[in-house]
Amino acid sequence: AQSVTQLGSHVSVSEGALVLLRCNYSSSVPPYLFWYVQYPNQGLQLLLKYTSAATLVKGINGFEAEFKKSETSFHLTKPSAHMSDAAEYFCAVSDLDAYSSASKIIFGSGTRLSIRP
Amino acid sequence: DAGVIQSPRHEVTEMGQEVTLRCKPISGHNSLFWYRQTMMRGLELLIYFNNNVPIDDSGMPEDRFSAKMPNASFSTLKIQPSEPRDSAVYFCASGDGTKSYNEQFFGPGTRLTVL
């Protein structure tokens, strides 16, 4: 079964510093991976996704993630943090139901990113 | 594009009352998902539908919870009777389930408070 593990439930960085949010996956098949962001009092929205076209994936708001098969990782980075990046970030992996061929997304436990002025 | 629409946005009710949450998915999407989010348990998948058929309801906490999708443009999540521990934010999401790499689109959520 597919799963993701997010390392660190809370990450705090200074404004302008590098953001690094860690995610490792477990999958029996080549995975499709996602990063979602949730701002306070809102639903989740897609930041970026990996679909095997390219290992380095660029998303919205200057975020990017690199798929590393050898490390089973899909870490999210941003070179320079902005105050508006404060939110909860979820790593996720696609999972296919064997009987119906319907797909769902399995989410990690989330990492809360705080930005210090 | 109106996105996923959920109603009501906020619901306050008393223990023992019936609660019905509503969701209108994005037109053309064939998969619909109900989630619950709390501080203690995080984001939990309750049930999901594909082509209006329930695929996996193993996340539904107990018999007090039920979900229906009578057509491609509407779904309900019902709690009867409600209990204080059901207080949470309930999200509906929809997606194109024909491809595993397709993302889900989330609604704004319904914040439920059971007194």
mmCIF file of all heavy atoms in Angstrom, chain A residues 16 58 60 69 78:
data_model
loop_
_atom_site.group_PDB
_atom_site.id
_atom_site.type_symbol
_atom_site.label_atom_id
_atom_site.label_comp_id
_atom_site.label_asym_id
_atom_site.label_seq_id
_atom_site.Cartn_x
_atom_site.Cartn_y
_atom_site.Cartn_z
ATOM 1 N N GLY A 16 13.048 35.177 4.348
ATOM 2 C CA GLY A 16 14.203 35.243 3.466
ATOM 3 C C GLY A 16 15.078 34.005 3.492
ATOM 4 O O GLY A 16 15.949 33.834 2.633
ATOM 5 N N LYS A 58 8.282 22.218 -10.601
ATOM 6 C CA LYS A 58 8.067 23.585 -10.118
ATOM 7 C C LYS A 58 6.582 23.823 -9.898
ATOM 8 O O LYS A 58 5.742 23.382 -10.700
ATOM 9 C CB LYS A 58 8.626 24.590 -11.117
ATOM 10 C CG LYS A 58 10.143 24.505 -11.273
ATOM 11 C CD LYS A 58 10.687 25.599 -12.148
ATOM 12 C CE LYS A 58 12.184 25.449 -12.344
ATOM 13 N NZ LYS A 58 12.928 25.566 -11.063
ATOM 14 N N ILE A 60 3.515 26.549 -7.706
ATOM 15 C CA ILE A 60 3.112 27.941 -7.545
ATOM 16 C C ILE A 60 3.879 28.585 -6.397
ATOM 17 O O ILE A 60 4.445 27.882 -5.547
ATOM 18 C CB ILE A 60 1.590 28.051 -7.297
ATOM 19 C CG1 ILE A 60 1.192 27.321 -6.010
ATOM 20 C CG2 ILE A 60 0.817 27.521 -8.486
ATOM 21 C CD1 ILE A 60 -0.253 27.544 -5.606
ATOM 22 N N LYS A 69 14.242 8.818 -6.458
ATOM 23 C CA LYS A 69 13.831 7.424 -6.299
ATOM 24 C C LYS A 69 14.751 6.679 -5.343
ATOM 25 O O LYS A 69 14.300 5.874 -4.527
ATOM 26 C CB LYS A 69 13.801 6.728 -7.668
ATOM 27 C CG LYS A 69 13.308 5.305 -7.632
ATOM 28 C CD LYS A 69 13.272 4.712 -9.033
ATOM 29 C CE LYS A 69 12.796 3.263 -8.995
ATOM 30 N NZ LYS A 69 12.763 2.670 -10.360
ATOM 31 N N LYS A 78 11.856 26.089 -1.082
ATOM 32 C CA LYS A 78 11.683 27.435 -1.612
ATOM 33 C C LYS A 78 12.909 28.227 -1.182
ATOM 34 O O LYS A 78 13.267 28.208 -0.003
ATOM 35 C CB LYS A 78 10.404 28.078 -1.088
ATOM 36 C CG LYS A 78 10.170 29.487 -1.649
ATOM 37 C CD LYS A 78 8.826 30.055 -1.227
ATOM 38 C CE LYS A 78 8.618 31.443 -1.821
ATOM 39 N NZ LYS A 78 7.284 32.011 -1.483
#
